[in-house]
Amino acid sequence: MKVIFKNKEYTLTQEAYITGTNENQYYEAAAIDENGNKYIVVWNILANYSPEDGDDEGWACDWEAPTNVYSI
């Protein structure tokens, strides 16, 4: 899967997974850019997402709009 953040394209190299603390959970996944540089892509969980109500993880975030990308 590819995502764009601040007009730069990143290719995910793993499935996104939930992380953080109980008070601040989010999803992240490793990615690379066109030069092979490594990054972590971050998505905030949507306020209306509720796994307790049976919501599927596919609806947890706006997967096409990451909230941050940082170099590793």
Side-chain angles (χ1 to χ4, degrees):
M1 176 176 168
K2 294 182 186 278
V3 296
I4 296 174
F5 182 74
K6 294 188 177 180
N7 296 319
K8 187 171 180 178
E9 185 175 82
Y10 302 89
T11 301
L12 300 183
T13 58
Q14 72 177 153
E15 292 283 326
Y17 59 92
I18 197 165
T19 189
T21 64
N22 285 337
E23 297 81 28
N24 184 32
Q25 293 184 328
Y26 54 92
Y27 281 82
E28 70 178 28
I32 57 172
D33 65 11
E34 68 277 358
N35 298 317
N37 299 310
K38 296 180 181 180
Y39 297 87
I40 295 293
V41 179
V42 177
W43 296 266
N44 286 340
I45 297 174
L46 299 173
N48 60 348
Y49 173 69
S50 178
E52 293 83 17
D53 292 338
D55 287 351
D56 183 279
E57 276 188 306
W59 300 103
C61 304
D62 182 353
W63 298 110
E64 294 183 17
T67 54
N68 200 3
V69 174
Y70 59 92
S71 177
I72 55 173

Coordinates of all heavy atoms in Angstrom, one line a residue:
M1 N 0.8 -1.2 0.0 CA 0.0 0.0 0.0 C 0.9 1.2 0.0 O 1.9 1.3 0.6 CB -0.9 0.0 1.2 CG -1.8 1.2 1.4 SD -2.9 1.0 2.8 CE -3.4 2.7 2.9
K2 N 0.5 2.2 -0.7 CA 1.2 3.5 -0.8 C 0.3 4.6 -0.1 O -0.9 4.5 -0.2 CB 1.5 3.9 -2.2 CG 2.5 2.9 -2.9 CD 2.8 3.4 -4.3 CE 3.7 2.4 -5.0 NZ 5.1 2.5 -4.7
V3 N 1.0 5.5 0.6 CA 0.3 6.6 1.2 C 1.1 7.9 0.8 O 2.3 7.9 0.6 CB 0.2 6.5 2.7 CG1 -0.7 5.4 3.1 CG2 1.5 6.4 3.4
I4 N 0.4 9.0 0.9 CA 1.0 10.3 0.6 C 0.8 11.2 1.8 O -0.2 11.3 2.4 CB 0.4 11.0 -0.6 CG1 0.7 10.1 -1.9 CG2 0.9 12.4 -0.8 CD1 0.0 10.6 -3.1
F5 N 2.0 11.8 2.2 CA 2.0 12.7 3.4 C 2.8 13.9 3.0 O 4.0 13.8 2.6 CB 2.5 12.0 4.6 CG 2.5 12.9 5.8 CD1 1.3 13.2 6.5 CD2 3.7 13.5 6.3 CE1 1.3 14.0 7.6 CE2 3.7 14.2 7.5 CZ 2.5 14.5 8.1
K6 N 2.2 15.1 3.0 CA 2.9 16.3 2.7 C 3.6 16.2 1.3 O 4.7 16.5 1.1 CB 3.9 16.7 3.7 CG 3.3 17.1 5.0 CD 4.3 17.7 6.0 CE 3.5 18.1 7.3 NZ 4.4 18.7 8.3
N7 N 2.8 15.7 0.3 CA 3.2 15.6 -1.1 C 4.3 14.6 -1.4 O 5.0 14.7 -2.4 CB 3.5 17.0 -1.7 CG 2.3 17.9 -1.7 OD1 1.2 17.4 -2.0 ND2 2.5 19.1 -1.3
K8 N 4.6 13.7 -0.4 CA 5.6 12.7 -0.6 C 5.0 11.4 -0.5 O 4.2 11.1 0.4 CB 6.8 12.9 0.4 CG 7.9 12.0 0.2 CD 9.1 12.3 1.1 CE 10.2 11.4 0.8 NZ 11.4 11.7 1.6
E9 N 5.4 10.4 -1.4 CA 4.8 9.1 -1.4 C 5.7 8.1 -0.6 O 6.9 8.2 -0.7 CB 4.7 8.6 -2.8 CG 4.0 7.3 -2.9 CD 3.8 6.9 -4.3 OE1 4.7 6.3 -4.9 OE2 2.6 7.1 -4.9
Y10 N 5.0 7.3 0.2 CA 5.7 6.3 1.0 C 5.0 4.9 0.7 O 3.8 4.8 0.6 CB 5.5 6.6 2.5 CG 6.1 7.9 2.9 CD1 5.3 9.1 2.9 CD2 7.4 8.0 3.3 CE1 5.8 10.3 3.2 CE2 7.9 9.3 3.6 CZ 7.1 10.4 3.6 OH 7.6 11.6 3.9
T11 N 5.8 3.9 0.7 CA 5.3 2.5 0.5 C 5.4 1.8 1.8 O 6.5 1.7 2.4 CB 6.2 1.8 -0.6 OG1 6.1 2.5 -1.8 CG2 5.6 0.4 -0.8
L12 N 4.3 1.3 2.3 CA 4.3 0.6 3.5 C 5.0 -0.8 3.4 O 4.8 -1.4 2.3 CB 2.9 0.3 4.0 CG 2.0 1.6 4.3 CD1 0.7 1.1 4.9 CD2 2.7 2.5 5.3
T13 N 5.8 -1.1 4.3 CA 6.5 -2.4 4.3 C 6.0 -3.4 5.3 O 6.6 -4.5 5.5 CB 8.0 -2.2 4.5 OG1 8.2 -1.5 5.8 CG2 8.6 -1.3 3.4
Q14 N 4.9 -3.0 6.0 CA 4.3 -3.9 7.0 C 2.8 -3.4 7.2 O 2.5 -2.3 6.8 CB 5.0 -3.9 8.3 CG 4.9 -2.7 9.2 CD 5.5 -2.8 10.5 OE1 5.9 -1.7 11.0 NE2 5.7 -3.9 11.1
E15 N 2.0 -4.3 7.8 CA 0.7 -4.0 8.1 C 0.7 -3.0 9.3 O 1.5 -3.1 10.2 CB -0.1 -5.2 8.5 CG -0.3 -6.2 7.4 CD -1.5 -5.8 6.4 OE1 -2.4 -5.1 6.9 OE2 -1.3 -6.1 5.2
A16 N -0.2 -2.0 9.3 CA -0.4 -1.1 10.4 C -0.8 -1.9 11.6 O -1.6 -2.8 11.5 CB -1.3 0.0 10.0
Y17 N -0.3 -1.5 12.8 CA -0.7 -2.1 14.0 C -1.0 -1.0 15.1 O -0.4 0.1 15.0 CB 0.4 -3.1 14.5 CG 1.7 -2.4 14.7 CD1 2.1 -1.9 16.0 CD2 2.6 -2.3 13.7 CE1 3.3 -1.2 16.2 CE2 3.9 -1.6 13.9 CZ 4.2 -1.1 15.1 OH 5.4 -0.5 15.3
I18 N -1.8 -1.4 16.0 CA -2.2 -0.4 17.1 C -1.1 -0.4 18.1 O -0.5 -1.4 18.5 CB -3.5 -0.7 17.7 CG1 -4.1 0.4 18.5 CG2 -3.5 -2.0 18.5 CD1 -5.6 0.3 18.8
T19 N -0.8 0.8 18.6 CA 0.3 1.0 19.6 C -0.1 2.2 20.5 O -1.1 2.8 20.3 CB 1.7 1.1 19.0 OG1 2.7 1.1 20.0 CG2 1.8 2.4 18.1
G20 N 0.8 2.6 21.4 CA 0.5 3.8 22.3 C 0.1 3.3 23.6 O 0.3 2.1 24.0
T21 N -0.4 4.2 24.4 CA -0.9 3.9 25.7 C -2.4 3.8 25.7 O -3.1 4.1 24.7 CB -0.5 5.1 26.7 OG1 -1.2 6.3 26.3 CG2 1.0 5.3 26.7
N22 N -3.0 3.3 26.8 CA -4.5 3.2 26.9 C -5.1 4.6 26.6 O -6.2 4.7 26.1 CB -4.9 2.7 28.2 CG -4.7 1.2 28.3 OD1 -4.6 0.5 27.3 ND2 -4.5 0.7 29.5
E23 N -4.5 5.7 27.1 CA -5.0 7.0 26.9 C -4.8 7.6 25.5 O -5.5 8.5 25.1 CB -4.4 8.0 27.9 CG -4.8 7.6 29.4 CD -3.8 6.5 30.0 OE1 -2.7 6.4 29.5 OE2 -4.3 5.8 30.8
N24 N -3.8 7.1 24.8 CA -3.4 7.7 23.5 C -3.0 6.6 22.6 O -1.8 6.3 22.3 CB -2.3 8.7 23.7 CG -1.9 9.4 22.4 OD1 -2.8 9.5 21.5 ND2 -0.7 9.7 22.2
Q25 N -4.0 5.8 22.0 CA -3.7 4.8 21.1 C -3.7 5.4 19.6 O -4.4 6.3 19.4 CB -4.7 3.7 21.2 CG -4.5 2.9 22.5 CD -5.5 1.7 22.6 OE1 -6.6 1.7 22.0 NE2 -5.1 0.7 23.3
Y26 N -2.9 4.8 18.8 CA -2.8 5.1 17.4 C -2.3 3.9 16.6 O -1.8 2.9 17.2 CB -1.9 6.4 17.2 CG -0.5 6.2 17.8 CD1 0.5 5.7 17.0 CD2 -0.3 6.5 19.1 CE1 1.8 5.6 17.5 CE2 1.0 6.4 19.6 CZ 2.0 5.9 18.8 OH 3.3 5.7 19.4
Y27 N -2.3 4.0 15.3 CA -1.8 3.0 14.4 C -0.5 3.5 13.8 O -0.3 4.7 13.6 CB -2.7 2.6 13.3 CG -3.8 1.7 13.8 CD1 -5.0 2.2 14.4 CD2 -3.7 0.3 13.6 CE1 -6.0 1.3 14.8 CE2 -4.8 -0.5 14.0 CZ -5.9 0.0 14.6 OH -6.9 -0.9 15.0
E28 N 0.5 2.6 13.6 CA 1.7 2.9 12.9 C 2.1 1.7 12.0 O 1.7 0.6 12.2 CB 2.8 3.4 13.8 CG 3.4 2.3 14.7 CD 4.5 2.8 15.6 OE1 4.5 4.0 16.0 OE2 5.4 2.0 15.9
A29 N 3.0 2.0 11.0 CA 3.5 1.0 10.2 C 4.9 1.5 9.6 O 5.0 2.7 9.4 CB 2.6 0.7 9.0
A30 N 5.8 0.6 9.4 CA 7.0 0.9 8.7 C 6.8 1.2 7.2 O 5.9 0.6 6.6 CB 8.1 -0.2 8.9
A31 N 7.6 2.1 6.7 CA 7.5 2.4 5.2 C 8.9 2.8 4.7 O 9.8 3.1 5.5 CB 6.5 3.5 5.1
I32 N 9.0 2.9 3.4 CA 10.2 3.4 2.7 C 9.7 4.5 1.7 O 8.6 4.4 1.2 CB 11.0 2.3 2.0 CG1 10.1 1.5 1.0 CG2 11.6 1.4 3.1 CD1 10.9 0.5 0.2
D33 N 10.7 5.3 1.3 CA 10.4 6.3 0.2 C 11.1 5.7 -1.0 O 11.6 4.6 -1.1 CB 10.9 7.7 0.6 CG 12.4 7.8 0.8 OD1 13.1 6.9 0.4 OD2 12.8 8.9 1.3
E34 N 11.0 6.5 -2.1 CA 11.5 6.1 -3.4 C 13.0 5.9 -3.4 O 13.6 5.2 -4.2 CB 11.2 7.1 -4.5 CG 11.8 8.4 -4.4 CD 11.2 9.4 -3.4 OE1 10.1 9.1 -2.8 OE2 11.7 10.5 -3.3
N35 N 13.7 6.4 -2.4 CA 15.2 6.2 -2.3 C 15.6 5.1 -1.3 O 16.7 4.9 -1.0 CB 15.8 7.5 -1.8 CG 15.6 8.6 -2.8 OD1 15.8 8.4 -4.0 ND2 15.3 9.8 -2.4
G36 N 14.6 4.4 -0.7 CA 14.8 3.4 0.2 C 15.0 3.8 1.7 O 15.4 3.0 2.5
N37 N 14.8 5.1 1.9 CA 14.9 5.6 3.3 C 13.8 5.1 4.1 O 12.7 4.9 3.6 CB 14.9 7.1 3.3 CG 16.1 7.7 2.6 OD1 17.2 7.3 2.8 ND2 15.8 8.6 1.7
K38 N 14.0 4.8 5.4 CA 13.0 4.2 6.3 C 12.3 5.2 7.1 O 12.9 6.2 7.6 CB 13.7 3.1 7.2 CG 14.3 2.0 6.4 CD 15.0 1.0 7.3 CE 15.6 -0.1 6.5 NZ 16.3 -1.1 7.4
Y39 N 11.0 4.9 7.3 CA 10.1 5.8 8.0 C 9.1 5.0 8.8 O 8.9 3.8 8.6 CB 9.3 6.7 7.0 CG 10.2 7.6 6.2 CD1 10.7 7.2 5.0 CD2 10.4 8.9 6.7 CE1 11.5 8.0 4.3 CE2 11.3 9.7 5.9 CZ 11.8 9.3 4.7 OH 12.6 10.1 4.0
I40 N 8.4 5.7 9.8 CA 7.3 5.2 10.5 C 6.1 6.1 10.1 O 6.2 7.4 10.2 CB 7.4 5.2 12.0 CG1 8.5 4.2 12.4 CG2 6.1 4.9 12.7 CD1 8.2 2.8 12.2
V41 N 5.0 5.5 9.6 CA 3.8 6.3 9.3 C 2.8 6.1 10.4 O 2.6 5.0 10.9 CB 3.2 5.8 7.9 CG1 2.0 6.5 7.6 CG2 4.2 5.8 6.8
V42 N 2.2 7.2 10.8 CA 1.3 7.2 12.0 C -0.1 7.7 11.5 O -0.3 8.6 10.7 CB 1.8 8.2 13.1 CG1 0.8 8.2 14.2 CG2 3.2 7.7 13.5
W43 N -1.2 7.0 12.1 CA -2.6 7.4 11.8 C -3.2 7.5 13.2 O -3.1 6.6 14.1 CB -3.3 6.3 11.1 CG -2.9 6.1 9.7 CD1 -3.4 6.6 8.6 CD2 -1.9 5.1 9.3 NE1 -2.7 6.1 7.5 CE2 -1.8 5.2 7.9 CE3 -1.0 4.3 10.0 CZ2 -0.9 4.4 7.1 CZ3 -0.1 3.5 9.2 CH2 -0.1 3.6 7.8
N44 N -4.0 8.6 13.4 CA -4.8 8.7 14.6 C -6.1 7.9 14.4 O -6.6 7.8 13.3 CB -5.2 10.2 14.8 CG -4.0 11.0 15.4 OD1 -3.0 10.4 15.9 ND2 -4.1 12.3 15.2
I45 N -6.6 7.4 15.5 CA -7.8 6.6 15.5 C -9.0 7.6 15.5 O -9.0 8.6 16.2 CB -7.9 5.7 16.7 CG1 -6.8 4.7 16.7 CG2 -9.3 5.0 16.8 CD1 -6.6 3.8 17.9
L46 N -9.9 7.4 14.6 CA -11.1 8.2 14.5 C -12.0 8.2 15.7 O -12.1 7.1 16.4 CB -11.9 7.8 13.3 CG -11.2 7.9 11.9 CD1 -12.1 7.3 10.8 CD2 -10.9 9.3 11.6
A47 N -12.5 9.3 16.1 CA -13.3 9.5 17.3 C -14.5 8.6 17.3 O -14.9 8.1 18.4 CB -13.7 10.9 17.5
N48 N -15.1 8.3 16.2 CA -16.3 7.5 16.2 C -16.0 6.0 16.0 O -17.0 5.2 15.9 CB -17.3 8.0 15.1 CG -16.7 7.9 13.7 OD1 -15.5 7.7 13.5 ND2 -17.5 8.0 12.7
Y49 N -14.8 5.6 16.0 CA -14.4 4.2 15.9 C -14.6 3.5 17.3 O -14.1 4.0 18.3 CB -13.0 4.0 15.5 CG -12.5 2.6 15.5 CD1 -13.0 1.6 14.7 CD2 -11.5 2.2 16.5 CE1 -12.5 0.3 14.7 CE2 -11.0 0.9 16.5 CZ -11.5 0.0 15.7 OH -11.1 -1.3 15.7
S50 N -15.3 2.4 17.3 CA -15.6 1.7 18.6 C -15.5 0.2 18.4 O -16.5 -0.5 18.0 CB -16.9 2.1 19.1 OG -17.2 1.4 20.3
P51 N -14.3 -0.4 18.7 CA -14.2 -1.9 18.5 C -15.2 -2.6 19.5 O -15.6 -3.7 19.2 CB -12.8 -2.2 18.8 CG -12.3 -1.0 19.6 CD -13.1 0.2 19.2
E52 N -15.5 -2.0 20.6 CA -16.5 -2.6 21.5 C -17.8 -2.8 20.9 O -18.6 -3.7 21.3 CB -16.6 -1.8 22.8 CG -15.3 -1.7 23.7 CD -14.3 -0.7 23.2 OE1 -14.7 0.2 22.4 OE2 -13.2 -0.8 23.6
D53 N -18.2 -1.9 19.9 CA -19.4 -2.0 19.2 C -19.3 -2.9 18.0 O -20.3 -2.9 17.2 CB -19.9 -0.6 18.8 CG -20.3 0.2 20.0 OD1 -20.6 -0.3 21.0 OD2 -20.3 1.5 19.8
G54 N -18.2 -3.6 17.8 CA -18.0 -4.5 16.7 C -17.5 -3.8 15.4 O -17.4 -4.4 14.4
D55 N -17.0 -2.6 15.5 CA -16.4 -1.9 14.4 C -15.2 -2.6 13.9 O -14.3 -3.1 14.7 CB -16.0 -0.4 14.7 CG -17.2 0.5 14.8 OD1 -18.3 0.0 14.5 OD2 -17.0 1.6 15.3
D56 N -15.0 -2.8 12.6 CA -13.9 -3.4 12.0 C -12.7 -2.5 12.0 O -12.9 -1.3 11.8 CB -14.3 -3.8 10.5 CG -13.1 -4.5 9.8 OD1 -12.2 -3.9 9.3 OD2 -13.2 -5.8 9.8
E57 N -11.5 -3.0 12.1 CA -10.3 -2.1 12.1 C -10.1 -1.3 10.8 O -9.4 -0.3 10.8 CB -9.0 -3.0 12.4 CG -8.7 -3.2 13.8 CD -7.4 -3.8 14.0 OE1 -7.1 -4.9 13.4 OE2 -6.6 -3.3 14.8
G58 N -10.7 -1.8 9.8 CA -10.6 -1.1 8.5 C -11.3 0.3 8.6 O -11.0 1.2 7.8
W59 N -12.1 0.5 9.6 CA -12.7 1.8 9.8 C -12.1 2.6 11.0 O -12.6 3.7 11.3 CB -14.2 1.6 10.1 CG -14.9 0.9 9.0 CD1 -15.3 -0.4 9.0 CD2 -15.3 1.5 7.8 NE1 -15.9 -0.7 7.8 CE2 -15.9 0.5 7.0 CE3 -15.2 2.7 7.2 CZ2 -16.4 0.7 5.7 CZ3 -15.7 3.0 5.9 CH2 -16.3 1.9 5.2
A60 N -11.0 2.1 11.5 CA -10.4 2.8 12.7 C -9.7 4.1 12.4 O -9.7 5.0 13.2 CB -9.3 1.8 13.3
C61 N -9.2 4.2 11.2 CA -8.5 5.4 10.8 C -8.8 5.9 9.4 O -9.4 5.1 8.6 CB -7.0 5.2 10.8 SG -6.3 4.6 12.4
D62 N -8.4 7.1 9.0 CA -8.5 7.5 7.6 C -7.2 7.0 7.0 O -6.2 7.7 7.0 CB -8.7 9.0 7.5 CG -8.8 9.4 6.1 OD1 -8.6 8.6 5.1 OD2 -9.1 10.6 5.9
W63 N -7.1 5.8 6.5 CA -5.9 5.2 6.0 C -5.2 5.9 4.9 O -4.0 5.8 4.7 CB -6.2 3.7 5.7 CG -6.7 2.9 6.8 CD1 -7.9 2.4 7.0 CD2 -5.9 2.6 8.0 NE1 -8.0 1.8 8.2 CE2 -6.8 1.8 8.8 CE3 -4.6 2.8 8.4 CZ2 -6.4 1.3 10.1 CZ3 -4.2 2.3 9.7 CH2 -5.1 1.5 10.4
E64 N -5.9 6.7 4.2 CA -5.3 7.5 3.1 C -4.8 8.8 3.5 O -4.2 9.6 2.7 CB -6.4 7.7 2.0 CG -6.8 6.4 1.3 CD -7.7 6.6 0.1 OE1 -7.9 7.7 -0.4 OE2 -8.3 5.6 -0.3
A65 N -5.0 9.2 4.8 CA -4.5 10.4 5.3 C -3.7 10.2 6.7 O -4.3 10.5 7.7 CB -5.7 11.4 5.5
P66 N -2.5 9.8 6.6 CA -1.7 9.7 7.8 C -1.6 11.0 8.5 O -1.6 12.1 7.9 CB -0.3 9.2 7.3 CG -0.3 9.2 5.9 CD -1.7 9.5 5.4
T67 N -1.4 11.0 9.8 CA -1.3 12.2 10.6 C 0.2 12.6 10.8 O 0.5 13.7 11.2 CB -2.0 12.1 12.0 OG1 -1.5 10.9 12.6 CG2 -3.5 12.0 11.8
N68 N 1.1 11.7 10.6 CA 2.5 12.0 10.8 C 3.4 10.9 10.1 O 3.0 9.8 9.9 CB 2.9 12.1 12.2 CG 4.2 12.9 12.5 OD1 4.8 13.4 11.5 ND2 4.6 13.0 13.7
V69 N 4.6 11.3 9.7 CA 5.6 10.4 9.1 C 6.9 10.9 9.7 O 7.2 12.1 9.7 CB 5.6 10.4 7.6 CG1 6.8 9.6 7.1 CG2 4.3 9.9 7.0
Y70 N 7.7 10.0 10.3 CA 9.0 10.4 10.8 C 10.0 9.4 10.4 O 9.8 8.2 10.2 CB 9.0 10.6 12.3 CG 8.6 9.4 13.2 CD1 9.5 8.6 13.7 CD2 7.2 9.3 13.5 CE1 9.2 7.5 14.5 CE2 6.9 8.2 14.3 CZ 7.8 7.3 14.8 OH 7.5 6.3 15.6
S71 N 11.2 9.9 10.2 CA 12.4 9.1 9.7 C 12.9 8.2 10.9 O 12.9 8.6 12.0 CB 13.5 10.1 9.3 OG 14.6 9.4 8.9
I72 N 13.4 7.0 10.5 CA 14.0 6.2 11.5 C 15.4 5.8 11.1 O 15.8 6.0 9.9 CB 13.2 4.9 11.8 CG1 12.9 4.1 10.5 CG2 11.9 5.3 12.5 CD1 12.2 2.7 10.8

